[in-house]
Amino acid sequence: MVKLYGFPLSTCTRLVALICKEKNIPYEFIQVDLVKGEQKASSYTAIHPFGQVPYIDDDGFILYESRAIARYLIRKYPNQGTPLIPSDPKANALFEQAASIEAFNFTTFIQPIVYEKLFKPRRGLQTDEERVSVMLAMLQGKMDAYEVILGKQKYLAGDSITLADLSHLALGALFYGLGGAFAEVFDSRPNLLRWWKDISNRPAWLAVKDGP
């Protein structure tokens, strides 16, 4: 059985758990307490040199970085659960395009907002509202492009769901949950909202959204 080492509130940990659910892969979740700094212990960094979560132990095969883990699990079980990475060269190229969109046109802007509005206050730090405003303004243009893409097809890579779509969920849910102007980014764009409601109501996500 795959052993998933991570933290319940970690968006990257939840992505890996989500893929396990989508692919019907049994896994054992082993908590690494980030609050206590367990990820920085020498015994941990001997396995994960960056001292981050998650990593998996698949019968002795160690792998970290959530996107790499997700691809590995999907490719290891191609005929199990939901097909999430196309094998056809053109379809696969469109998937890789969509994956790049997620990484550089979504996560790049939403991650700093979530960090400033959610994670800094939890640590007793003051939110940099100017940074939030700048990131939010830049995000608007990116989401305009999403609206165009999703007006032509059901998902980011075409009419079948892929890892690229699912990779938005953990961070996107925290962002959308901020409400107000942040939720309005999705709510004001009908194609984007339709897509968001679709992916965020998948049974696999509902099973892990509050922790793996």
Side-chain angles (χ1 to χ4, degrees), residues 39-177:
Q39 77 281 12
K40 300 302 182 183
S42 58
S43 58
Y44 187 88
T45 57
I47 300 170
H48 192 323
F50 292 98
Q52 299 169 343
V53 292
Y55 79 83
I56 63 166
D57 180 341
D58 184 18
D59 194 24
F61 176 63
I62 304 297
L63 188 65
Y64 47 85
E65 293 297 324
S66 59
R67 287 182 173 87
I69 296 170
R71 281 169 164 79
Y72 165 72
L73 293 173
I74 292 166
R75 289 182 171 126
K76 183 175 180 180
Y77 300 96
N79 301 316
Q80 187 170 306
T82 311
L84 293 172
I85 297 180
S87 57
D88 173 79
K90 290 183 179 178
N92 185 263
L94 291 173
F95 155 71
E96 292 294 352
Q97 174 181 265
S100 183
I101 289 170
E102 177 270 321
F104 299 107
N105 293 285
F106 183 84
T107 295
T108 294
F109 301 96
I110 281 188
Q111 193 168 48
I113 294 172
V114 169
Y115 174 71
E116 291 289 344
K117 298 296 289 185
L118 278 182
F119 294 123
K120 281 180 73 172
R122 289 177 183 175
R123 295 166 57 192
L125 302 174
Q126 186 173 351
T127 296
D128 183 341
E129 294 292 353
E130 182 177 352
R131 187 185 187 208
V132 171
S133 296
V134 169
M135 290 293 109
L136 186 59
M138 296 175 73
L139 178 66
Q140 299 287 356
K142 305 299 182 181
M143 294 301 97
D144 286 342
Y146 269 64
E147 181 71 4
V148 171
I149 294 168
L150 294 167
K152 298 176 181 178
Q153 57 200 41
K154 192 173 181 181
Y155 299 104
L156 283 179
D159 289 323
S160 296
I161 196 164
T162 68
L163 170 62
D165 300 289
L166 299 182
S167 295
H168 292 74
L169 278 166
L171 196 58
L174 294 178
F175 174 82
Y176 190 77

